[in-house]
Amino acid sequence: MRQKKIHYIYNKEMECMDPEERRKLQGERLRKTVELEYANVPAYRARMDEAGVKPEDINSIDDIVKLPFMQKTDLRDNFPFGLFAADRKDIIRIQGSSGTTGKPVVAGYTQNDIDVWTEMVARAIKCAGGGEDDVIQIAYGYGLFTGGLGAHQGATKVGAMVVPMSSGNTQRQIMMMKELGATMLCCTPSYATYLAETIREMGIDPSELKIKSGYFGAEPWTEEMRQHLEELLDFDAFDIYGLTEIGGPGVAFECFEKNGMHINEDHVLAEIIDPVTEEPLPDGVPGELVFTTLTKTGTPMIRYRTHDICTLTHGTCACGRTTVKMSRITGRTDDMLVIRGVNVFPSQIESVLLGVEEASAHYMIVVDRVNSQDKLTVQVELKEDVDMGDVAKLAAIASRIKTDIKQTLLISAKVELVPPKTIPRSEGKAKRITDNRHIGF
Ligand code: ADP
Ligand code: ZN
């Protein structure tokens, strides 16, 4: 059921703030964040010292260019608590996502950080008309992953009736959606599509449901996928962006204009840089998105390189918000794959295979989209001395690799063992990934 396009705004003061005033506020918050980081995080202090910059040098947001960047490796190198800027006893929550070496990337949240994050998601839900009359079904996974709890907190904040389904159990999700009269849905876009297609297959017409809108994020999707989804469920599908390191879903969210995601700029400062020269790029030019948290106290991040590619657009939106908008993510500057919302690096799979005696160093990661769900297949080339006729042994090897991958990546993969010299060799950079997901379908 489509709803009327009304521009609801949760926090007018902040979301519609005069841009000059906001820049001043951001400057003050940036200075505080840098002071906190310099005082409490030795790894970043060392980097600032190396760059010859002190907190006193940061007097407005224009000074941000003086500050060194942070990377995912900083989180890994300082795992688990090295980047905490707050006292251990003030950290009340850990959230994380799978990291590049199998170690999760974790961030610590203080009560303040949870409150900020909750408000960011509440702004999104309110923006789509969500409030106390709504029944919001959360089909993101609950756990370390920020999707489930993030959406849950925001939905609770606007006073909705929350249905914490977590992901999976598709038939049951649909039964609950129908029986409880869910009006909003939050999950990954691929799972939303799978749910919508299953609803149709079950012979349920959208008019039998009360779903009016949904927020979908944690992985890239396209305008075509939105249209497909909106047609299937006859509702409004909105994009929501986030990452564990900065604050989970709600860092940015779409309004009814559906032409970019408003970044919650009073809490996070966005820059677009050329990933090679690291120079800032103007509005409309695609580059790497870089975030600085302005109000986080648990694990503040300064000029964090997301590796996500998009553009920024400043100006006042038809919805009334003055916050900068980011476009859809069009790609990444590293080889990270996002599979079912989980970050996967080929190097993680490689490290698993390196521990398997019978496996050679040649492998191929194949990603397909089947029934709108990502499917991961790892083709592993066996060493020459492995007996390809010993079926029982081959099954045991495949099963062991499958278990190891699941333990390291936290997602399931199909493992195919292939004979020696069958994986194509490369003279340049090895191509480890065959991504057959035509983004969208
Ligand atoms: P989360 O737990 O919030 O999904 P992760 O740290 O696991 O965070 O993954 C973050 C990454 O997921 C982002 O850097 C980005 O590549 C991808 N991502 C998140 N939201 C979106 C979105 N709406 N569109 C495209 N990619 C997204
Ligand atoms: Zn808008």
Side-chain angles (χ1 to χ4, degrees):
M1 185 201 346
R2 298 271 180 152
Q3 54 186 340
K4 262 212 190 114
K5 181 169 155 183
I6 298 176
H7 293 306
Y8 300 96
I9 299 179
Y10 184 83
N11 186 340
K12 265 213 169 87
E13 194 192 339
M14 288 300 163
E15 296 178 74
C16 306
M17 199 177 223
D18 171 69
E20 263 319 300
E21 224 176 290
R22 185 186 288 118
R23 282 170 58 82
K24 248 183 78 198
L25 177 74
Q26 287 175 319
E28 288 159 17
R29 290 180 169 182
L30 175 64
R31 168 73 174 255
K32 277 200 182 131
T33 303
V34 174
E35 282 170 356
L36 187 69
E37 194 75 2
Y38 193 78
N40 297 346
V41 183
Y44 196 71
R45 186 191 315 136
R47 199 160 308 158
M48 279 178 64
D49 286 343
E50 206 177 299
V53 54
K54 295 264 179 270
E56 307 78 273
D57 300 327
I58 308 303
N59 296 305
S60 82
I61 55 166
D62 296 329
D63 292 327
I64 196 162
V65 292
K66 298 177 183 165
L67 292 162
F69 290 99
M70 290 176 91
Q71 305 261 11
K72 214 179 208 59
T73 45
D74 293 317
L75 287 140
R76 250 174 38 205
D77 296 346
N78 294 285
F79 178 85
F81 303 142
L83 294 184
F84 282 8
D87 204 283
R88 275 278 291 280
K89 68 176 181 351
D90 293 326
I91 303 287
I92 59 161
R93 173 96 60 81
I94 291 290
Q95 300 280 168
S97 66
S98 56
T100 48
T101 60
K103 268 188 201 168
V105 163
V106 296
Y109 289 68
T110 59
Q111 183 62 54
N112 162 79
D113 300 343
I114 297 285
D115 294 346
V116 165
W117 179 23
T118 301
E119 162 142 357
M120 293 203 290
V121 182
R123 287 180 189 178
I125 291 176
K126 173 81 181 190
C127 176
E132 53 194 24
D133 294 330
D134 285 283
V135 177
I136 304 185
Q137 184 154 336
I138 316 280
Y140 277 118
Y142 278 64
L144 269 186
F145 172 57
T146 53
L149 281 163
H152 185 110
Q153 294 162 175
T156 303
K157 182 84 179 170
V158 302
M161 185 191 289
V162 180
V163 188
M165 290 299 290
S166 198
S167 57
N169 265 325
T170 305
Q171 307 273 333
R172 205 167 131 80
Q173 295 267 5
I174 295 167
M175 191 266 281
M176 294 294 267
M177 195 182 280
K178 207 172 154 194
E179 298 297 324
L180 300 177
T183 56
M184 288 181 77
L185 175 66
C186 297
C187 58
T188 60
S190 56
Y191 192 52
T193 309
Y194 182 58
L195 272 168
E197 285 167 353
T198 312
I199 286 169
R200 288 300 185 124
E201 273 162 31
M202 287 164 75
I204 300 171
D205 189 84
S207 61
E208 296 173 57
L209 301 171
K210 298 220 169 76
I211 294 282
K212 59 177 187 181
S213 63
Y215 267 106
F216 308 109
E219 63 185 1
W221 55 313
T222 56
E223 210 41 54
E224 292 74 18
M225 191 162 170
R226 187 209 314 265
Q227 268 155 28
H228 177 60
L229 192 54
E230 290 189 334
E231 269 163 34
L232 285 173
L233 284 184
D234 188 27
F235 77 148
D236 288 292
F238 300 101
D239 200 356
I240 186 163
Y241 170 90
L243 63 168
T244 310
E245 302 88 313
I246 301 302
V251 166
F253 61 92
E254 257 182 349
C255 66
F256 258 108
E257 296 303 315
K258 296 182 184 167
N259 61 3
M261 292 179 272
H262 286 282
I263 297 178
N264 278 307
E265 277 190 288
D266 46 326
H267 296 299
V268 288
L269 183 62
E271 297 173 83
I272 293 282
I273 61 159
D274 179 316
V276 180
T277 65
E278 298 183 338
E279 287 302 315
L281 293 172
D283 269 20
V285 179
E288 181 177 343
L289 186 58
V290 172
F291 278 118
T292 300
T293 62
L294 297 174
T295 49
K296 266 188 118 173
T297 52
T299 323
M301 300 299 284
I302 295 175
R303 302 194 89 195
Y304 181 69
R305 295 188 59 166
T306 63
H307 291 287
D308 289 325
I309 307 279
C310 70
T311 58
L312 291 183
T313 311
H314 287 83
T316 305
C317 179
C319 72
R321 288 177 182 80
T322 53
T323 42
V324 65
K325 288 201 277 194
M326 59 181 271
S327 67
R328 283 185 186 281
I329 303 293
T330 52
R332 291 189 51 88
T333 59
D334 59 14
D335 58 354
M336 187 180 92
L337 286 162
V338 182
I339 298 176
R340 280 173 256 146
V342 176
N343 302 344
V344 174
F345 283 83
S347 55
Q348 286 177 289
I349 293 178
E350 197 169 290
S351 68
V352 167
L353 298 180
L354 283 174
V356 178
E357 207 197 328
E358 299 86 350
S360 74
H362 303 285
Y363 62 93
M364 179 66 80
I365 298 164
V366 184
V367 194
D368 291 290
R369 190 157 276 168
V370 182
N371 289 334
S372 315
Q373 290 263 61
D374 297 337
K375 296 278 174 218
L376 174 65
T377 305
V378 182
Q379 296 172 338
V380 184
E381 196 181 281
L382 293 170
K383 285 189 183 148
E384 304 244 15
D385 56 357
V386 180
D387 180 3
M388 291 298 290
D390 190 343
V391 180
K393 174 142 194 228
L394 295 186
I397 298 171
S399 157
R400 201 167 77 230
I401 297 175
K402 196 174 154 67
T403 309
D404 288 353
I405 289 177
K406 173 94 198 203
Q407 268 171 8
T408 312
L409 273 68
L410 307 176
I411 60 169
S412 307
K414 186 173 159 207
V415 174
E416 286 175 357
L417 301 180
V418 300
K421 299 215 169 67
T422 49
I423 299 273
R425 306 295 198 253
S426 156
E427 287 178 1
K429 243 170 124 66
K431 183 177 176 324
R432 300 285 192 208
I433 303 166
T434 307
D435 198 342
N436 297 322
R437 293 175 293 186
H438 304 289
I439 299 261
F441 290 92

